[in-house]
Amino acid sequence: MPQNVEKVLDHENLFREPEYKAMFDNKRSQFEFRVPAEELAKQIEYAKTWEYREKNFAREALTVNPAKACQPLGAVFAAVGFEKTLPFVHGSQGCVAYYRSHFSRHFKEPTSCVSSSMTEDAAVFGGLNNMIDGLANTYNLYKPEMIAVSTTCMAEVIGDDLDAFIKTSKQKGSIPAEFDVPFAHTPAFVGSHITGYDNALQGIIKYFWDGKAGQGTALTRIPNESINFIGGFDGFVCGNLPEIRRMLDLMGVEHTILCDPSDVWNTPTDGEFRMYDGGTTKAQVEAAINAKATISFQGYSTEKTMKLIKEHGHDTTSFHHPMGVTGTDAFLMKVSELTGKPIPAELEKERGRLVDAIADSQAHLHGKRFALYGDPDLMLGMTAFLLELGAEPVHVLSTNGDNEWAGKVQALLDASPFGKNCKAYPKADLWHMRSLLFTEKVDFLIGNTYGKYLERDCGTPLIRLGFPIFDRHHYHRFPIWGYQGGLRVLTMLLDEYFEALDANTNGIGTTDYSYDIIR
Amino acid sequence: MSLTVDENKALIEEVLKAYPEKTAKKRAKHLGTFEDGKPDCGVKSNIKSLPGVMTIRGCAYAGSKGVVWGPIKDMIHISHGPVGCGQYSWASRRNYYIGETGIDTFGTMQFTSDFQEKDIVFGGDKKLEKIIDEIEVLFPLNKGITVQSECPIGLIGDDIEAVSKKKAKEYVGKTIVPVRCEGFRGVSQSLGHHIANDAVRDWVFDKVDPNKNAFESTPYDVAIIGDYNIGGDAWSSRILLEEMGLRVIAQWSGDGTIAELENTPKAKLNVLHCYRSMNYISRHMEEKYGIPWVEYNFFGPTMIEKSLREIASHFDDTIKANTEKVIAKYRSMVDAVIAKYKSRLEGKKVMLFVGGLRPRHVIGAYEDLGMEVVGTGYEFGHNDDYQRTTHYVKDGTLIYDDVTGYEFEKFVEKVQPDLVGSGIKEKYVFQKMGVPFRQMHSWDYSGPYHGYDGFAIFARDMDMAINSPVWGLTKAPWKKAA
């Protein structure tokens, strides 16, 4: 009998017991009618070849294992970054169940969000009644101070008009006329989750700055000395935004973070469930129009938002997820330039410590070959950081990055001797990456949790950086931005390198010589 | 503490006060208390969720792709429409299987047509054709394809049936199954299960070549229906059936293959675990092929014993005798599990809110450990589920159908159970409140929980949830003193 009360066998061991192994063999040989072993072995090998790679890259219609999600996910991310704001997604309800699960699996936190639960009748007649009832229920039940509305593809295909629906809802007394309901259309068949973040954030800012969808007066900008900061869609938000705040505070820069979910996705376990916690306040959003400048940390995640802000007269700068020494330098110098505040000695010391750490460890990363995939901004930032470490970003892939993005990556690669023979792959997925990893091998892979299948298939060790990360805990609590974040990422790269080296040299009687105690 | 019927009533009334009047009236029908002797749980079910209340439910696509079809491992399941649905349901349900992923099995992969605006405007049928062609080039060892419709498909008038027929003809003998499980259909996952069952009937059973995958039948052939092999559940169930002397010819659908689906009409008995999601196909097989079906429950030794004997009653004395041997064989292990954990769990109160069969089926396992379920409800149950629930729950059990986030939080606050068993969306809400929690969809990444081997894990998990030292840390000591 396999199971044992003294040491309960979990799934990873239970099913290796002989009884189960025999059962699996029996099932397979008698009932599964699987492909003959020879044919299977042939295809396994064939899928590793250049020929297969060419067929794989010739795909025009099929997407396999993409590294992107859909717009409304990003819209929910943007909405929860505002104080006492409940995201309301107009359309089918299953979508909302998915967004909530997805975020909770990553952050290990609750994610509150409601749906207008549209079904067949709404598909025929439109979802106005769902909006009217939904807003009333949300308002009464969860007592938000703002409801941020976005859409699923169902509502978009049938053409529901959010602006009109929300106004009608107010006329029907569903919610008070003065209650704030910013909105954004977020069709899942356009762009990706970063587009949805952008649309929703733009919708919220536009709502407050441009006269509350015709129900208020547009704000007049009186420029002041403060700056706005926008982080973009970011799986490490709970660590990153506090780090940004700390750096800006050290510089004495008056600032507003527009969209800050770093508290609501980082609440304590102390006996109380906080549906709302922290976030940018409505007053802050309104006051933010007066800032002299706005910085986006992720330009691809904030294209429309930054355009809107620029139109309001702000000095705008969009970075692409700057990381490491040079990236952080550029960010801080920009802040300094915009505000006239010098970069303080404390940050300069932190910079020196990161440089110190890189100097200590660079030999282990120099010339190591990396493949990386993820959102377009993260890819640009990480590529630059790898080049700075003397590592080679051989394959840089993004599902939601386009040709223009690839050009930017290529420019980075071309500017560095370490970028020689490295290439960007726009609009590609992880099945493309599999071919790349088999045909042009690398030492390490950088990506989200789904990269573990590539790690298994191709034997390339995975460093988890990106979104989502479901199978490792608490990464999102630590910053990867700023000099401190650079230290964290550097350590992650080194940890994986040393683990891989130890694992490759731990053969007793075979590789005793390289299994070093000091590295 | 468990509440009395009157206290439950007062609690429900109090909770309903937060709703607008119209909504309160509708929600009132879904909340109640089980009273002994009643034929059901006194609640309405399988009704549209109300907008804006934070329902926990999913959609028809989730019911078809996520539950019924997704685990069939040697077929490729295309999430047909925009990228999100397939992304969020990618490998998240822990349907364990064994195979060469990406070569002859595809369970933990995300195949999507990644609809763009032009596909919505001009239709996606041509793209679907091309996708099937590309699948045949890159994944030639697949044993079939299903097309899992996302919301837009039914709204833009695509004809996925025509594409499927055309391509099945072109790739001679290929099973291609169009599934109309658009997320807006029906009120929950439940309709997706039904649609998926019907698709098996229409596009697998009715089209299969009877000479394909031939094997010799025996009088002891059974099929496991409605076990998705979450954390290996179907395996820790199958092993018991085989030890009884039965031959399990198919698993639906955890670790299942298309050949197993096709051969199921040769079974002598279908044994059905998740009634909710697969009663349809079981009834169909009974009507069309004369295969009887029997529901069983493999959570906890009491129910396992009962179920094993019930299944054995459909067979001869050899099987019956074997069954007693199986029960005897595992008894010492089970007794040891209960001896170890019961004293730590005795009298603990549990509140559940899950899907499928679990709001009733797991109650016996808790009771085997001396625990008491004081509240339960179904995400997408129907009236027949609530009728079946009456055999499991005690008088005074709080019942909540399609519970909202608000209601669940208030109920738990008031009832103060020692453990809540529900899903990922609920887990952290209750843990923040200091209430121990186990995910009862994914087994919180543990499992299996089915069968005798699973019961040991279940008992250990419930103990570690409730008796973790962390729950003593939630209040800062300087606040405790105050």
Side-chain angles (χ1 to χ4, degrees), chain A residues 82 197-210 219-224 226-232 256-259 280 284-299 301-318 338:
Chain A
F82 291 86
Y197 173 95
D198 191 16
N199 280 329
L201 183 56
Q202 188 228 28
I204 291 169
I205 294 172
K206 190 176 167 57
Y207 176 86
F208 284 104
W209 290 8
D210 290 354
L219 301 177
T220 311
R221 178 165 180 258
I222 307 160
N224 61 26
S226 77
I227 63 164
N228 300 323
F229 179 91
I230 300 173
T256 303
I257 292 179
L258 289 172
C259 181
T280 312
Q284 283 175 320
V285 181
E286 288 179 349
I289 193 173
N290 299 322
K292 67 190 299 187
T294 298
I295 293 176
S296 163
F297 221 62
Q298 298 196 73
S301 193
T302 52
E303 280 174 355
K304 287 184 194 156
T305 304
M306 292 305 276
K307 186 167 171 278
L308 173 85
I309 292 172
K310 196 181 169 73
E311 283 163 6
H312 280 82
H314 284 222
D315 189 337
T316 55
T317 307
S318 288
L338 290 169

Side-chain angles (χ1 to χ4, degrees), chain A residues 86 88 93 100 113-117 133-138 141-142 275, chain B residues 19-20 23 27 48-56 402-407:
Chain A
L86 198 56
F88 181 113
Q93 71 191 15
R100 296 180 66 206
C113 176
V114 296
S115 163
S116 64
S117 295
D133 292 346
L135 288 176
N137 287 334
T138 306
L141 215 48
Y142 297 110
M275 180 174 264
Chain B
Y19 288 101
T23 309
R27 282 304 306 158
K48 266 201 276 188
S49 303
L50 300 170
V53 297
M54 214 177 301
T55 174
I56 292 166
D402 183 23
V403 80
T404 68
Y406 179 82
E407 290 162 7

Side-chain angles (χ1 to χ4, degrees), chain A residues 18 25 85 143 154 167 177 180 183 185 193 223 263 270 275-276 282 289 318 352 372 391 404 418 463 503-504 509-510:
Chain A
D25 288 345
T85 298
K143 312 256 181 281
M154 178 206 181
K167 288 197 169 103
D180 293 314
F183 59 90
H185 287 272
H193 56 287
D263 282 323
D270 61 357
M275 180 174 264
Y276 311 108
K282 291 193 274 188
I289 193 173
S318 288
L372 52 156
E404 186 267 345
F418 299 97
I463 295 151
N504 195 35
T510 52

Side-chain angles (χ1 to χ4, degrees), chain A residues 123 135 139 156 301 437 457:
Chain A
L135 288 176
Y139 176 79
E156 288 300 319
S301 193
L437 295 180
D457 288 5

Side-chain angles (χ1 to χ4, degrees), chain B residues 437-453:
Chain B
F437 188 97
R438 285 300 293 186
Q439 289 184 68
M440 294 300 282
H441 299 258
S442 66
W443 306 148
D444 236 315
Y445 323 119
S446 175
Y449 282 176
H450 292 178
Y452 289 115
D453 288 343

Side-chain angles (χ1 to χ4, degrees), chain A residues 1-6 8-11 14-15 19-20 23-24 26-28 30-35 39-40 43-44 47 52 55-56 58-70 73 86 88 92-94 97-102 104-105 108-110 112-121 123 129-130 133-134 136-138 140-142 153-154 157-158 188-191 267-273 275 430-431 434 450 453 456-457, chain B residues 18-20 22-23 48-49 51-55 57-59 61-62 73 82-84 87-92 94 96 98-104 108-112 114-117 120 127 130-131 134-135 137-141 143 151-152 155 184-187 213 231-232 235-236 238-239 242 247-249 251 255 257 259-260 263 329-330 333 336-337 340 405-406 409 424-425 428-429 431-433 445-448 453 456-457 460 474-475:
Chain A
M1 185 178 337
Q3 197 52 285
N4 179 345
V5 66
E6 290 315 315
V8 172
L9 293 180
D10 281 299
H11 46 79
L14 178 65
F15 297 125
E19 293 92 332
Y20 281 102
M23 188 181 88
F24 296 149
N26 180 49
K27 177 177 187 290
R28 181 176 181 139
Q30 286 198 60
F31 307 108
E32 293 189 352
F33 292 87
R34 294 268 282 280
V35 174
E39 210 179 321
L40 181 66
Q43 182 66 19
I44 291 171
Y52 186 90
K55 286 183 181 172
N56 191 7
R59 261 191 284 149
E60 287 173 354
L62 172 66
T63 298
V64 186
N65 298 351
K68 69 169 181 183
C70 67
L73 183 84
L86 198 56
F88 181 113
S92 301
Q93 71 191 15
Y98 277 143
Y99 314 141
R100 296 180 66 206
S101 301
H102 209 63
S104 287
R105 286 173 180 143
K108 318 293 180 201
E109 293 284 326
S112 300
C113 176
V114 296
S115 163
S116 64
S117 295
M118 285 164 66
T119 57
E120 284 107 329
D121 54 342
N129 287 330
N130 298 68
D133 292 346
N137 287 334
T138 306
N140 283 290
L141 215 48
Y142 297 110
C153 55
M154 178 206 181
V157 171
I158 65 172
F189 44 83
V190 176
T267 63
T269 285
D270 61 357
E272 182 195 348
F273 160 54
M275 180 174 264
L430 304 191
W431 199 252
R434 190 177 190 268
Y450 297 111
Y453 297 124
R456 179 180 65 184
D457 288 5
Chain B
Y19 288 101
K22 187 170 102 178
T23 309
K48 266 201 276 188
S49 303
V53 297
M54 214 177 301
T55 174
R57 282 175 171 176
C59 64
Y61 164 90
K73 63 182 176 179
V83 70
Q87 202 70 2
Y88 310 128
S89 57
W90 182 2
S92 56
R94 306 186 66 235
Y96 281 2
I98 297 168
E100 290 284 342
T101 300
I103 309 296
D104 73 340
T108 49
M109 295 175 71
Q110 198 316 48
F111 292 82
T112 170
D114 187 14
F115 260 34
Q116 301 299 304
E117 197 147 26
I120 300 287
K127 188 172 199 178
K130 199 166 205 179
I131 283 171
E134 290 176 356
I135 283 174
V137 170
L138 292 172
F139 308 98
L141 303 187
K143 290 286 191 74
C151 287
L155 298 172
F184 63 83
R185 293 191 198 279
V187 305
N213 306 331
W235 293 334
S236 57
R238 181 185 186 110
I239 203 164
E242 289 188 351
R247 196 172 82 138
V248 179
I249 65 166
Q251 281 178 213
D255 193 36
T257 57
E260 289 169 67
N263 279 326
K329 172 187 161 186
Y330 284 97
M333 189 269 281
V337 168
K340 181 170 177 183
Y406 179 82
E409 188 192 334
I424 183 68
K425 304 190 290 299
Y428 303 105
V429 170
Q431 288 193 174
K432 303 280 179 193
M433 289 163 65
Y445 323 119
S446 175
D453 288 343
I457 300 172
R460 191 273 323 268
T474 59
K475 288 283 171 228

